[in-house]
Amino acid sequence: MSNAPRTDDDEWAWAWASFMAHDRHSDGRFIVAVTTTGIYCKPSCPARRPKREHVRFYADADAARGAGFRACLRCKPDEVGRDRIAVARAVELIEAAEEGIALEELAERVGYAPHHFHRLFKRATGVTPAAYARGLRARRAAEALHQEDSVTEAIYEAGYSAPSRFYETANARLGMTPSVWKRGGAGVTIRWTIADTTLGPLLIAATDKGLCRVAFDEDAIQLARRFPAAEIVQGGAALAALAARVVAEVETPGRDADLPVDVQGTAFQEAVWQALRAIPPGETLSYAQLAAAAGNPNAVRAAGTACGANHVSIIIPCHRAQRSDGSMGGYAYGIDRKLVLRKREGVKEQGE
């Protein structure tokens, strides 16, 4: 954005929509100035909304001040930049640390009270500082397990203080033990079925821990290619019950938010997936908002890629993601399916 005010209704409809929705994910992306009061605010300001003709959008607080506006004392927009810098610095500290950093120390080093910074970090990234650190170590461990000859060496290389610390969270993060991971998932059993839905055949596959693949137009052969070292087994009573819940989500999205999943991704991908699962049915987020929720507002393209890398469609509802201009964007299983899913949730599309 330049320093000029944003007034074009069509081009900046997304900013107006974010402002009207009190969208916290848009804080820091632009500044809202109100001509009748001479005040500028962040998009999530709780104050009553002015008429559209009295609103101007600016790239940042400096631009708004340069145009003669003063900061809102209620939402304190000047603090947004400081908050984002603090979160970015905290991420750098976590990634550079050989061992974990206590919340108290992390908050002190970026100049915040621990409780406040805990909420601030989670709001910005979608995860707590401790969860971000665990995700980072687990991702490094997964990469190291493919490269190191010794599992123990890989664990230390990933930043764990001892093998026992890795084993405490390995099953939750990787879905299997380190030695099994090293062998490409050998010994893991994946049960699968193909269910009929009104949107077409749906492959549903799960480990003992949860759903690992939910995809339209795929079969057991494609599943085996994704998990070449696992034992692929058809059906089973336990899977039938789980599959019925998945099908119900296709027909009436948003009814069952507690379906278990057993998927892995990078720390950023998992933060995007968590943000997607947190979107209420009938609501949407832009890829830019998802990037901000995952802790990197500039990684808009990567947020879209994370949606495309989603292993469990419907369960992680990437159909609730869209472009900043309000258009739907892409969908791995076809725009027509995405449109139907959104309509079933009550999403109003452009032009409706």
Side-chain angles (χ1 to χ4, degrees):
M1 294 184 181
S2 68
N3 288 344
R6 313 308 190 186
T7 58
D8 186 273
D9 284 340
D10 292 331
E11 184 178 358
W12 297 102
W14 64 272
W16 173 249
S18 296
F19 178 50
M20 291 299 291
H22 300 263
D23 180 19
R24 287 186 175 183
H25 295 300
S26 292
D27 289 351
R29 297 186 63 210
F30 59 88
I31 285 293
V32 184
V34 183
T35 59
T36 53
T37 62
I39 289 173
Y40 65 86
C41 305
K42 59 187 181 183
S44 67
C45 181
R48 183 178 178 180
R49 277 5 192 186
K51 292 182 178 180
R52 177 65 183 86
E53 58 263 31
H54 301 315
V55 170
R56 299 291 182 269
F57 297 113
Y58 290 90
D60 51 38
D62 288 340
R65 283 194 300 273
F69 294 92
R70 64 185 185 279
C72 173
L73 297 178
R74 188 171 183 181
C75 70
K76 299 179 180 178
D78 292 344
E79 293 185 1
V80 174
R82 175 174 175 259
D83 291 347
R84 290 192 178 276
I85 291 171
V87 171
R89 175 56 179 157
V91 168
E92 292 177 356
L93 291 170
I94 292 171
E95 293 184 345
E98 294 184 2
E99 297 186 4
I101 304 177
L103 174 63
E104 291 75 12
E105 179 185 351
L106 186 66
E108 181 181 3
R109 292 178 68 174
V110 297
Y112 284 76
H115 181 70
H116 176 65
F117 187 69
H118 186 273
R119 289 188 289 107
L120 176 67
F121 190 96
K122 185 173 182 179
R123 187 171 65 206
T125 66
V127 295
T128 66
Y132 186 92
R134 288 195 299 270
L136 177 66
R137 287 197 303 271
R139 174 168 57 84
R140 288 173 175 171
E143 293 170 353
L145 284 166
H146 284 298
Q147 299 170 2
E148 301 289 337
D149 293 330
S150 165
V151 168
T152 300
E153 290 178 4
I155 290 170
Y156 282 116
E157 179 70 19
Y160 289 89
S161 58
S164 60
R165 296 297 298 162
F166 176 73
Y167 278 85
E168 287 174 5
T169 59
N171 286 345
R173 293 290 309 164
L174 301 177
M176 58 191 76
T177 64
S179 60
V180 172
W181 180 270
K182 178 72 174 178
R183 298 195 303 271
V188 173
T189 298
I190 297 176
R191 302 186 184 279
W192 67 275
T193 188
I194 295 179
D196 291 327
T197 77
T198 55
L199 294 182
L202 182 68
L203 172 73
I204 301 170
T207 66
D208 291 338
K209 293 184 176 296
L211 295 159
C212 62
R213 186 68 181 169
V214 176
F216 291 102
D217 304 327
E218 290 189 2
D219 56 25
I221 295 175
Q222 290 160 299
L223 180 67
R225 289 173 181 165
R226 290 184 178 275
F227 302 96
E231 180 183 8
I232 308 297
V233 179
Q234 185 173 7
L239 179 62
L242 188 59
R245 294 171 63 188
V246 175
V247 171
E249 277 296 289
V250 175
E251 308 306 336
T252 313
R255 291 178 51 184
D256 195 342
D258 296 323
L259 283 162
V261 297
D262 184 6
V263 296
Q264 299 86 38
T266 66
F268 179 80
Q269 285 176 329
E270 292 187 6
V272 170
W273 297 341
Q274 288 187 29
L276 285 166
R277 296 198 82 180
I279 304 173
E283 298 184 15
T284 61
L285 284 183
S286 69
Y287 297 113
Q289 290 169 329
L290 287 170
N296 190 345
N298 296 320
V300 178
R301 187 181 297 274
T305 301
C307 291
N310 175 15
H311 303 290
V312 285
S313 64
I314 310 298
I315 314 309
I316 296 175
C318 51
H319 58 273
R320 295 175 191 161
Q322 63 185 33
R323 296 192 180 105
S324 294
D325 63 4
S327 60
M328 284 194 298
Y331 191 58
Y333 307 106
I335 291 298
D336 289 343
R337 284 185 173 126
K338 184 173 185 177
L339 180 61
V340 171
L341 289 168
R342 288 158 66 95
K343 283 187 176 296
R344 288 176 178 176
E345 293 188 5
V347 175
K348 298 295 184 182
E349 305 294 350
Q350 287 183 327
E352 293 186 345

